[in-house]
Amino acid sequence: MPRMSQDAPTFSPLYRQIKALITQALEAGEWRPGQVIPSEQELAVRFGVSQGTVRKAIDEMAAENLLVRKQGKGTYVASHNDPRALFRFLRLVPLDGDLSHPTSVPLDCWRAKAGQEASRMLAIEPGAPIIIVRRLLQFALKPVVIDEIYLSGETFQGLTAEVLQSWNGSLYSLFETRFGLRMIRAQERIRAVAADRNASEALKVAEGTPLLSVERVTYTYGDKPVEWRRGLYSTAEHFYLNELN
Amino acid sequence: MPRMSQDAPTFSPLYRQIKALITQALEAGEWRPGQVIPSEQELAVRFGVSQGTVRKAIDEMAAENLLVRKQGKGTYVASHNDPRALFRFLRLVPLDGDLSHPTSVPLDCWRAKAGQEASRMLAIEPGAPIIIVRRLLQFALKPVVIDEIYLSGETFQGLTAEVLQSWNGSLYSLFETRFGLRMIRAQERIRAVAADRNASEALKVAEGTPLLSVERVTYTYGDKPVEWRRGLYSTAEHFYLNELN
DNA sequence: AAGTGGTCTAGACCACGTC
DNA sequence: ACGTGGTCTAGACCACTTT
């Protein structure tokens, strides 16, 4: 039973150190999204701690949606390919209870250099290459969200309009499968704005219609920002649902 | 070690039964908000289970913001009088990082009978007495939110404009202190709307300005809805911040 | 039957706050 | 010194899934 560093001013309990080790392994790609990780007992042996300590580490990671426990089967690496993950970041719900899945329609995809704002949001150098994606989100064939998505050109090399076109699934599942980038958490800043010319055409609403402006920064491991997007949501037939706990 | 009912189709682990018992005691007012509850050891003896089982029950309740643990001191009943609880339900943040506390200015308070919508939201009979409160929320003396709040007249007997005027603190801390009602969780539905005459006057913005419409239903123990409110947020100098995990 | 996560226990020791 | 929550361990048994 290794005590590790337990008395420094930066005290951290054993299970958190184990958590960090598991996270590192995850980050290094030792186990891929959707796969099982070793059993608690195996991990306990590997790290030289008791099974209960591994358990507590995994408990926290499951609460953070990094891992998924399945009784009798094992513990799995969370994946955006899992259909249940779709609405984790998309909080838009139809006014009537219609639960049809949204469709992503890529409109455009081009390269540019990071300006002030993009460089700050993505924590990259101003002038660094970025990729900008415009896409429409449809619910039951009706346009509801128009998104403008900024990505670091460095980490998303090879992302083109064709790749987007040919992908059937969520954007984040593409990022995960194709670029090995797992979106862990996000922060959204919501304001109300009037539809400009572009938005009104894309969303088929009158110019000046109030829309939700949703700015999102999405982070991967180590709180590293990897995506910045701004979405304009038409709330004629949908609303943004938020649970406060 | 009582096994209780552990094999019925409605299986529930011991710690969840303990959790239910603690919640009942909380609901019954055995310990009041802000006070300490008995130690884990005492509760273990009282319920005839091990300390670890009580611990797990309290763990979940702390995660749900029903209880607050303080190492070395004890476990406390969560309270809206705690200043840290203020921003639990108010997700509005100034564009510049100014962290001034908002002020609530009650504008009006009158009695009415529940209509269709209010009765559905508050789960009361149509025609039942309700109280409607209009109030303004100011950040640094600037009007930012205009709220219309619907409450069941039954549970909020004695709530008058005078009571609201004389209360220095959040609305929920008033509800808690004066009416013994603790707000546990809430659900918000957000849309974008244009400012009508009333809103434009109250918020000092032009008519037609896009505003956030935030409809909130707030629940107390047992998922019982006790408040329905609609707020119009001016997002000229503030935004609604949401963390997605 | 065997393996996995889930629950429960009992006991030891640590960190924090108060007396 | 004492009491509280926080951590860690070891072992038993339960529930679920697969073989």
Side-chain angles (χ1 to χ4, degrees), chain A residues 42-193:
Chain A
E42 286 178 274
L43 290 172
V45 172
R46 164 166 166 180
F47 296 126
V49 300
S50 82
Q51 182 258 1
T53 299
V54 171
R55 181 166 191 77
K56 186 148 189 185
I58 293 180
D59 273 346
E60 283 202 0
M61 298 181 70
E64 292 166 11
N65 297 304
L66 296 175
L67 298 174
V68 179
R69 295 173 166 293
K70 297 187 185 177
Q71 184 172 157
K73 301 184 72 173
T75 301
Y76 293 74
V77 182
S79 169
H80 283 284
N81 293 316
D82 186 330
R84 288 170 301 188
L86 221 179
F87 286 93
R88 183 145 81 92
F89 291 104
L90 180 60
R91 302 296 179 89
L92 208 58
V93 176
L95 280 173
D96 54 59
D98 183 22
L99 282 181
S100 60
H101 270 215
T103 327
S104 175
V105 182
L107 300 179
D108 212 344
C109 174
W110 69 95
R111 273 153 177 75
K113 292 197 178 303
Q116 282 274 320
E117 215 173 2
S119 80
R120 198 177 70 246
M121 294 302 189
L122 295 175
I124 57 179
E125 292 299 313
I130 59 171
I131 299 172
I132 306 178
V133 176
R134 267 181 51 109
R135 70 98 179 251
L136 191 66
L137 222 53
Q138 295 182 325
F139 280 73
L141 299 181
K142 285 185 187 168
V144 180
V145 177
I146 177 84
D147 270 318
E148 206 157 272
I149 304 173
Y150 297 76
L151 305 164
S152 160
E154 196 107 11
T155 50
F156 287 91
Q157 280 178 13
L159 179 61
T160 61
E162 290 71 41
V163 171
L164 288 168
Q165 292 286 353
S166 62
W167 184 260
N168 282 323
S170 79
L171 214 48
Y172 289 168
S173 88
L174 169 67
F175 291 174
E176 180 179 296
T177 309
R178 180 75 192 252
F179 302 95
L181 260 190
R182 270 166 286 170
M183 307 311 227
I184 302 305
R185 65 176 195 90
Q187 196 177 60
E188 292 192 330
R189 290 155 197 260
I190 306 172
R191 306 177 67 198
V193 301

Side-chain angles (χ1 to χ4, degrees), chain B residues 84-96:
Chain B
R84 287 169 303 187
L86 220 179
F87 285 95
R88 183 145 83 91
F89 291 105
L90 181 60
R91 301 297 179 88
L92 210 58
V93 175
L95 280 173
D96 54 60

Side-chain angles (χ1 to χ4, degrees), chain B residues 3-16:
Chain B
R3 269 284 120 68
M4 303 198 185
S5 62
Q6 278 212 3
D7 38 281
T10 57
F11 165 74
S12 151
L14 235 196
Y15 74 87
R16 275 197 196 282

